[in-house]
């Protein structure tokens, strides 16, 4: 009877947890399609607003054929839309530039503030995970009282010079990092499953439901499905963009399957005794070399990502400072490029790397877990970047392009359809995403507030 009760309780936890992950994944996918549509609209909008205007050969199917470089006046008068030509994502337009195109001044400030807070939280979590992993791995060589601070300082000194420069991730580095991430995830799933087969399930004490755990679960889910701020750099270099929506849907489907497998297998294997981060559940004394590699997984992957994250943070801080100090451009034009004087770059690099490192040290000595850091950052700034900003982008970009098209073309030519339009094209989807984000922010704020210590 007790076994049945425990199985029923865990089944309830499985269903609720998996359902919540699926909802967040689905809304993240919807908002990714919003960003892709906004990127295509921004490309067409910039061309439409440029001095040369929109290339009308892209608006005629006859003119779009190969070898028809000089379409006749008759073919030009047909104005048959060729939507893929108009909305080609040929220019890399970052989210900050889209904010400059479609948002007003307050919208731009709010956008950069949310993005910077998210990037600061990212940097804080990355530095904490790397330092904790190294301190735990070399626990026999360094005293526990100052091991974390030592490796955090080493990581800071190692990362700071790399964060000063501008450089792009190489294709080899991206493939290597991707391979390490996937191998590590599947390895943890397999090891957890083996542990369940050999030692039985350890989930008898897992609660069926815990409302107070939702903010951290939501924050972790946001980090799991967040890719929005990286889309311009990922999508623009692609040669064939005709199946973007299908690629995104397949990717999200694969990710949700892997995370649910990881969630269920580790839940069965460790129950409430699961350690944070998850890689700490596979120590080297039990799993040998594989355990050592999993233990150092955050070091390998996050160390290669941290400099790029800090460079992105530095550039966004620079752009926000310039905009606030009245150096920003007028609405409809892109924001100014960051200034590159050595002194300015040095100060901005220290601002990007120093505070997250200091906050990581403070969080460690305040006994704040990585799970809480992920939950707080993802629940607030992550929610804005993943849900609110994409919904605002797609709404404002549609209005801005329609207004620009009507003022430029008038009734002479019907407005074309965006080839990369979101499958969730109705305004109801925008409202639904914003409503979920608002409810999440209210609930997360309430939960965090009620947990504050009282005098």
């Amino acid at each position: 009877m007790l076994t049945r009760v425990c199985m029923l309780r865990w089944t309830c936890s499985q269903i609720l947890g998996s359902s919540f992950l699926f909802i967040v994944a689905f809304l993240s996918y919807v908002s990714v399609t919003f960003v892709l549509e906004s990127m295509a609209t921004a490309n067409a909008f910039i061309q439409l607003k440029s001095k040369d205007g929109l290339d009308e050969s892209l608006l005629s199917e006859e003119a779009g054929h190969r070898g028809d470089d000089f379409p006749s006046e008759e073919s030009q008068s047909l104005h048959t839309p060729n939507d893929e030509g108009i909305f080609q994502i040929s220019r890399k337009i970052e989210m900050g530039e889209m904010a400059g195109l479609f948002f007003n001044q307050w919208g731009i400030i709010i956008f950069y503030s949310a993005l910077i807070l998210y990037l600061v939280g990212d940097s804080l979590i990355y530095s904490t995970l790397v330092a904790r992993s190294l301190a735990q791995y070399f626990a026999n060589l360094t005293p526990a009282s100052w091991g974390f601070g030592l490796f955090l300082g080493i990581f800071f000194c190692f990362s700071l010079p790399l964060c000063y420069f501008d450089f792009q991730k190489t294709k080899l580095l991206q493939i290597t990092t991707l391979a390490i991430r996937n191998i590590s995830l599947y390895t943890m799933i397999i090891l957890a499953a083996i542990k369940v087969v050999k030692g039985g399930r350890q989930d008898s004490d897992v609660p069926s439901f815990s409302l107070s755990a939702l903010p951290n679960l939501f924050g972790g889910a946001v980090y799991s499905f967040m890719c929005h701020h990286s889309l311009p750099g990922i999508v623009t270099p692609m040669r064939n963009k005709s199946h973007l929506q299908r690629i995104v849907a397949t990717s999200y489907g694969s990710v949700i399957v892997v995370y649910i497998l990881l969630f269920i297998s580790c839940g069965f294997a460790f129950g409430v005794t699961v350690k944070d981060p998850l890689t700490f559940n596979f120590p080297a004394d039990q799993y040998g070399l594989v355990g050592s590699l999993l233990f150092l997984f955050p070091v390998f992957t996050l160390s290669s990502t941290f400099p790029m994250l800090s460079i992105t943070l530095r550039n966004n801080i620079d752009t926000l400072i310039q905009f606030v100090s009245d150096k920003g451009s007028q609405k409809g034009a892109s924001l100014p490029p960051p200034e590159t004087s050595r002194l300015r770059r040095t100060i901005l690099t220290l601002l990007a790397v120093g505070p997250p490192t200091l906050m990581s040290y403070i969080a460690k000595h305040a006994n704040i877990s990585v799970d809480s850091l992920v939950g707080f950052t993802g629940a607030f700034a992550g929610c804005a970047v993943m849900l609110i900003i994409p919904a605002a982008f797609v709404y404002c970009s549609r209005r801005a392009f329609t207004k620009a098209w009507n003022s430029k073309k008038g009734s002479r030519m019907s407005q074309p359809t965006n080839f990369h339009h979101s499958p969730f094209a109705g305004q109801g989807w925008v409202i639904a995403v914003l409503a979920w984000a608002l409810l999440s922010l209210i609930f997360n704020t309430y939960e965090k507030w009620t947990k504050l210590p009282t005098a």
Side-chain angles (χ1 to χ4, degrees):
M1 183 67 179
L2 180 61
T3 303
R4 290 182 180 179
V5 172
C6 292
M7 288 182 66
L8 181 63
R9 180 182 300 175
W10 172 244
T11 302
C12 182
S13 300
Q14 278 183 302
I15 294 173
L16 291 175
S18 300
S19 300
F20 190 82
L21 283 177
F22 181 82
I23 291 172
V24 176
F26 176 73
L27 291 174
S28 177
Y29 165 64
V30 172
S31 60
V32 162
T33 65
F34 287 169
V35 175
L36 294 176
E37 178 182 333
S38 302
M39 289 168 55
T41 304
N43 273 267
F45 182 79
I46 289 175
Q47 188 179 0
L48 188 63
K49 299 286 285 186
S50 65
K51 293 181 179 180
D52 297 332
L54 192 65
D55 183 2
E56 296 195 8
S57 66
L58 296 175
L59 299 173
S60 174
E61 287 182 346
E62 286 83 352
H65 292 305
R66 241 179 239 185
D68 194 2
D69 296 327
F70 301 95
S72 64
E73 293 182 2
E74 181 180 355
S75 66
Q76 284 186 345
S77 65
L78 294 176
H79 301 308
T80 306
N82 179 1
D83 300 340
E84 184 176 4
I86 299 170
F87 292 97
Q88 288 179 351
I89 305 177
S90 56
R91 172 177 172 176
K92 182 183 177 183
I93 301 177
E94 296 287 354
M95 293 182 74
E97 190 172 358
M98 285 193 284
L101 288 171
F102 304 128
F103 291 171
N104 58 24
Q105 291 188 358
W106 281 108
I108 294 173
I109 292 174
I110 293 172
F111 163 78
Y112 273 101
S113 299
L115 183 60
I116 287 172
L117 285 175
Y118 174 76
L119 293 173
V120 168
D122 252 358
S123 301
L124 166 61
I125 293 164
Y126 282 18
S127 56
T128 301
L129 282 172
V130 170
R132 278 191 61 184
S133 299
L134 289 173
Q136 194 83 6
Y137 188 77
F138 295 105
N140 295 331
L141 302 178
T142 56
S145 58
W146 51 271
F148 178 86
L150 172 65
F151 288 108
L152 183 64
I154 294 174
F155 181 69
F156 173 79
C157 295
F158 171 79
S159 302
L160 186 62
L162 298 176
C163 299
Y164 178 84
F165 301 102
D166 284 321
F167 61 91
Q168 300 292 329
K169 291 182 181 179
T170 63
K171 185 176 181 180
L172 178 61
L173 179 61
Q174 294 182 52
I175 294 175
T176 303
T177 303
L178 180 64
I180 293 175
R181 289 178 185 272
N182 281 278
I183 291 172
S184 300
L185 290 173
Y186 286 114
T187 301
M188 286 189 286
I189 292 172
I190 294 171
L191 292 179
I194 293 174
K195 180 177 173 62
V196 174
V197 172
K198 290 183 176 180
R201 291 168 54 171
Q202 306 294 324
D203 56 309
S204 59
D205 51 356
V206 174
S208 58
F209 182 76
S210 177
L211 193 65
S212 61
L214 274 181
N216 283 356
L217 176 60
F218 177 74
V222 166
Y223 270 94
S224 300
F225 302 109
M226 173 73 78
C227 61
H228 304 61
H229 56 295
S230 303
L231 285 175
I234 296 172
V235 172
T236 307
M238 293 174 61
R239 295 177 182 174
N240 184 4
K241 303 182 183 70
S242 59
H243 302 292
L244 272 181
Q245 302 293 353
R246 187 184 305 171
I247 293 172
V248 171
T250 303
S251 300
Y252 266 84
S254 303
V255 170
I256 189 64
V257 168
V258 170
Y259 278 129
I260 288 179
L261 285 175
L262 191 65
F263 159 62
I264 294 175
S265 61
C266 290
F268 282 156
F270 305 108
V272 295
T273 62
V274 63
K275 296 179 181 178
D276 175 31
L278 195 59
T279 53
F280 282 17
N281 293 278
F282 305 95
D285 57 351
Q286 296 182 31
Y287 296 94
L289 178 61
V290 175
S292 297
L293 294 176
L294 284 177
F295 216 87
L296 295 175
F297 162 70
V299 179
F300 296 141
T301 58
L302 302 184
S303 295
S304 62
T305 310
F306 185 84
M308 295 305 304
L309 184 69
S310 298
I311 291 171
T312 303
L313 176 59
R314 182 196 71 203
N315 292 338
N316 281 284
I317 293 174
D318 193 8
T319 305
L320 179 60
I321 291 174
Q322 291 187 63
F323 184 81
V324 172
S325 61
D326 207 24
K327 292 182 181 179
S329 58
Q330 297 180 350
K331 180 171 176 60
S334 55
L335 293 171
E339 295 182 6
T340 55
S341 67
R342 290 186 178 182
L343 178 60
R344 183 183 184 90
R345 172 168 292 197
T346 301
I347 294 174
L348 289 169
T349 302
L350 289 172
L351 281 175
V353 183
T357 305
L358 180 61
M359 286 189 287
S360 175
Y361 183 82
I362 295 172
K364 168 64 178 177
H365 289 273
N367 294 320
I368 301 176
S369 67
V370 176
D371 184 51
S372 297
L373 293 174
V374 171
F376 185 85
T377 305
F380 295 100
C383 178
V385 175
M386 188 178 83
L387 298 176
I388 298 175
I389 290 173
F393 273 158
V394 77
Y395 176 77
C396 295
S397 64
R398 289 170 181 171
R399 293 188 59 186
F401 184 80
T402 298
K403 182 178 179 181
W405 179 271
N406 291 335
S407 64
K408 203 90 170 181
K409 302 297 180 183
S411 59
R412 182 170 63 93
M413 190 182 301
S414 61
Q415 181 178 327
T417 302
N418 191 334
F419 179 79
H420 297 289
H421 70 86
S422 170
F424 313 95
Q427 296 295 349
W429 286 105
V430 176
I431 296 172
V433 170
L434 291 175
W436 173 272
L438 179 62
L439 290 174
S440 299
L441 289 175
I442 293 173
F443 176 78
N444 293 333
T445 302
Y446 173 78
E447 283 295 317
K448 298 294 183 183
W449 180 266
T450 55
K451 289 183 179 180
L452 291 176
T454 55

